[in-house]
Amino acid sequence: MRAAVLRDGHMAYRDDVPEPVPGPGQVLVAVRACGICGSDLHFASHGAEMLALTDRMAGDGAFGGLAVDLNRDVFMGHEFAAEVVEAGPDTDTYGPGTPVTSIPVLLSAKGAEPILSSNRTVGGYAERMLLSAPLLLPIPNGLDVKHAALTEPMAVGLHAVNKSNIAAGEAALVLGCGPIGIAIVAALRARGIETIVAVDFSPARRELARIMGAHETLDPQQGSPFDTTKQAVVFEAVGVPGIIDDVLLRARPGTRLIVAGVCMQADTVHPFFAIAKEINVQFVLAYTPDEFAASLHAIAEGDIDVTPVITGEVDLDGVGAAFDDLTDPDRHCKILVTP
Ligand SMILES: [Zn+2]
């Protein structure tokens, strides 16, 4: 079958990938749409550093056991919507053709493996892949499978908002309007938060933030967002060195800072800024299965309209070019791969 694989730091097209065979409890599905994630771009260009950091990390965390050989082809793609093809042996599941999605985890007799980056487990950048029967969520009637593919990235925003414990009456300041910042803005709006201020250098990203629910947008070149915004829960979705320290420096006393941006480099902070202002810092990653399901239903019920987020669509042989295009913040938010 056809797939796009990471090879020597770039996405390569293949038409000779062996057909996945579902084991007990697994289901073969045909991928209908898979979003390209910033973390995949990052893994393509900095995979070796990510693996080295993962190796060093005690206590596993979410990336525990991520054993990938970068000298062999790597399968990726974790933001998928698909249709059931067939179930493995002794496996009850939805009928063929049923549209489904799932948290990106594959269960087998050996345990649970994230569908993130793997030499053997095929991800969503492929014609077909394996999912776990107990984890499948049917896509509600009538929801476009392309929209359902946004369940995963939108769940990331919902999780950040849940972790923030933001309450009615509180304001939110969202720094960075890439896909994660946009998902946070959408989740805040769906929560009924009445003051959402979104900040980005890119005019196109600010406009998308406005469409997705921000009440106000700011260009940080025009001044500090902390000068113009009242006390706010701050969501950091930039993920570059220096941004956390900058928030600690500028934010008001008692600020809650949610760090959703994924910075892979070492970074420096001045604890004194946070100490003097008693700032509470919460790092967040991914979502719970319940949040994933809630995200699917928020999209299906129209609480979150993901249409503006989808800015491009490519076939499997266009994934390499799409990875390049996504480096320009003015051109794209989410590109879907539609095999
Ligand atoms: Zn993702």
mmCIF file of all heavy atoms in Angstrom, residues 35-40 78-79 116 152-153 156 180 287 334, ligand 1:
data_model
loop_
_atom_site.group_PDB
_atom_site.id
_atom_site.type_symbol
_atom_site.label_atom_id
_atom_site.label_comp_id
_atom_site.label_asym_id
_atom_site.label_seq_id
_atom_site.Cartn_x
_atom_site.Cartn_y
_atom_site.Cartn_z
ATOM 1 N N GLY A 35 -4.236 14.903 9.908
ATOM 2 C CA GLY A 35 -3.619 16.216 10.017
ATOM 3 C C GLY A 35 -2.117 16.105 10.209
ATOM 4 O O GLY A 35 -1.620 15.187 10.860
ATOM 5 N N ILE A 36 -1.392 17.060 9.617
ATOM 6 C CA ILE A 36 0.056 17.135 9.835
ATOM 7 C C ILE A 36 0.285 17.989 11.070
ATOM 8 O O ILE A 36 -0.191 19.125 11.160
ATOM 9 C CB ILE A 36 0.772 17.738 8.614
ATOM 10 C CG1 ILE A 36 0.565 16.815 7.395
ATOM 11 C CG2 ILE A 36 2.264 17.905 8.909
ATOM 12 C CD1 ILE A 36 1.202 17.344 6.115
ATOM 13 N N CYS A 37 1.020 17.417 12.033
ATOM 14 C CA CYS A 37 1.215 18.058 13.336
ATOM 15 C C CYS A 37 2.599 18.689 13.403
ATOM 16 O O CYS A 37 3.566 18.153 12.872
ATOM 17 C CB CYS A 37 1.062 17.014 14.433
ATOM 18 S SG CYS A 37 1.293 17.678 16.088
ATOM 19 N N GLY A 38 2.687 19.807 14.119
ATOM 20 C CA GLY A 38 3.972 20.455 14.342
ATOM 21 C C GLY A 38 4.996 19.531 14.985
ATOM 22 O O GLY A 38 6.197 19.633 14.728
ATOM 23 N N SER A 39 4.513 18.606 15.814
ATOM 24 C CA SER A 39 5.457 17.698 16.471
ATOM 25 C C SER A 39 6.091 16.748 15.454
ATOM 26 O O SER A 39 7.228 16.312 15.621
ATOM 27 C CB SER A 39 4.782 16.927 17.606
ATOM 28 O OG SER A 39 3.843 16.020 17.109
ATOM 29 N N ASP A 40 5.350 16.453 14.381
ATOM 30 C CA ASP A 40 5.936 15.621 13.320
ATOM 31 C C ASP A 40 7.007 16.406 12.548
ATOM 32 O O ASP A 40 8.050 15.859 12.183
ATOM 33 C CB ASP A 40 4.850 15.144 12.347
ATOM 34 C CG ASP A 40 3.901 14.150 12.996
ATOM 35 O OD1 ASP A 40 4.289 13.532 14.007
ATOM 36 O OD2 ASP A 40 2.774 14.002 12.490
ATOM 37 N N HIS A 78 -0.721 11.123 13.666
ATOM 38 C CA HIS A 78 -1.517 10.751 14.846
ATOM 39 C C HIS A 78 -2.823 11.542 14.940
ATOM 40 O O HIS A 78 -3.491 11.495 15.952
ATOM 41 C CB HIS A 78 -0.678 10.939 16.119
ATOM 42 C CG HIS A 78 -0.178 12.340 16.295
ATOM 43 N ND1 HIS A 78 1.031 12.758 15.805
ATOM 44 C CD2 HIS A 78 -0.747 13.424 16.866
ATOM 45 C CE1 HIS A 78 1.188 14.035 16.084
ATOM 46 N NE2 HIS A 78 0.116 14.473 16.726
ATOM 47 N N GLU A 79 -3.185 12.282 13.876
ATOM 48 C CA GLU A 79 -4.420 13.094 13.912
ATOM 49 C C GLU A 79 -5.362 12.594 12.815
ATOM 50 O O GLU A 79 -5.622 13.277 11.848
ATOM 51 C CB GLU A 79 -4.069 14.570 13.681
ATOM 52 C CG GLU A 79 -3.060 15.118 14.680
ATOM 53 C CD GLU A 79 -2.700 16.580 14.434
ATOM 54 O OE1 GLU A 79 -3.203 17.174 13.450
ATOM 55 O OE2 GLU A 79 -1.910 17.127 15.222
ATOM 56 N N LEU A 116 2.742 7.389 17.081
ATOM 57 C CA LEU A 116 3.344 8.716 17.053
ATOM 58 C C LEU A 116 4.503 8.717 16.056
ATOM 59 O O LEU A 116 4.500 9.452 15.081
ATOM 60 C CB LEU A 116 3.836 9.066 18.469
ATOM 61 C CG LEU A 116 4.216 10.493 18.746
ATOM 62 C CD1 LEU A 116 3.025 11.417 18.552
ATOM 63 C CD2 LEU A 116 4.747 10.623 20.176
ATOM 64 N N GLU A 152 -8.062 15.404 17.461
ATOM 65 C CA GLU A 152 -6.836 15.277 18.265
ATOM 66 C C GLU A 152 -6.227 16.640 18.584
ATOM 67 O O GLU A 152 -6.038 16.983 19.764
ATOM 68 C CB GLU A 152 -5.856 14.343 17.535
ATOM 69 C CG GLU A 152 -4.820 13.711 18.426
ATOM 70 C CD GLU A 152 -3.555 14.542 18.598
ATOM 71 O OE1 GLU A 152 -3.424 15.597 17.960
ATOM 72 O OE2 GLU A 152 -2.710 14.141 19.399
ATOM 73 N N PRO A 153 -5.918 17.470 17.581
ATOM 74 C CA PRO A 153 -5.320 18.759 17.933
ATOM 75 C C PRO A 153 -6.251 19.651 18.762
ATOM 76 O O PRO A 153 -5.793 20.403 19.636
ATOM 77 C CB PRO A 153 -5.004 19.400 16.574
ATOM 78 C CG PRO A 153 -5.776 18.630 15.554
ATOM 79 C CD PRO A 153 -5.956 17.260 16.116
ATOM 80 N N VAL A 156 -6.046 18.833 22.423
ATOM 81 C CA VAL A 156 -4.871 19.419 23.087
ATOM 82 C C VAL A 156 -5.241 20.772 23.711
ATOM 83 O O VAL A 156 -4.857 21.083 24.840
ATOM 84 C CB VAL A 156 -3.711 19.573 22.078
ATOM 85 C CG1 VAL A 156 -2.559 20.364 22.681
ATOM 86 C CG2 VAL A 156 -3.232 18.194 21.599
ATOM 87 N N ILE A 180 -1.697 24.912 18.176
ATOM 88 C CA ILE A 180 -2.004 24.703 19.598
ATOM 89 C C ILE A 180 -2.702 25.934 20.177
ATOM 90 O O ILE A 180 -3.716 25.824 20.870
ATOM 91 C CB ILE A 180 -0.719 24.372 20.399
ATOM 92 C CG1 ILE A 180 -0.191 22.987 19.982
ATOM 93 C CG2 ILE A 180 -0.994 24.399 21.905
ATOM 94 C CD1 ILE A 180 1.120 22.596 20.658
ATOM 95 N N TYR A 287 -3.932 15.003 26.230
ATOM 96 C CA TYR A 287 -5.327 15.008 26.680
ATOM 97 C C TYR A 287 -5.623 13.650 27.284
ATOM 98 O O TYR A 287 -4.878 12.692 27.086
ATOM 99 C CB TYR A 287 -6.264 15.234 25.459
ATOM 100 C CG TYR A 287 -5.745 14.487 24.256
ATOM 101 C CD1 TYR A 287 -5.942 13.125 24.124
ATOM 102 C CD2 TYR A 287 -4.942 15.124 23.307
ATOM 103 C CE1 TYR A 287 -5.386 12.417 23.073
ATOM 104 C CE2 TYR A 287 -4.387 14.415 22.261
ATOM 105 C CZ TYR A 287 -4.620 13.067 22.157
ATOM 106 O OH TYR A 287 -4.045 12.352 21.144
ATOM 107 N N LYS A 334 -3.489 24.086 9.451
ATOM 108 C CA LYS A 334 -3.489 22.622 9.430
ATOM 109 C C LYS A 334 -3.653 22.117 7.998
ATOM 110 O O LYS A 334 -4.609 22.470 7.319
ATOM 111 C CB LYS A 334 -4.635 22.107 10.301
ATOM 112 C CG LYS A 334 -4.680 20.624 10.520
ATOM 113 C CD LYS A 334 -3.466 20.080 11.264
ATOM 114 C CE LYS A 334 -3.426 20.451 12.728
ATOM 115 N NZ LYS A 334 -2.210 19.890 13.420
HETATM 116 ZN ZN ZN B 1 -0.497 16.515 17.084
#
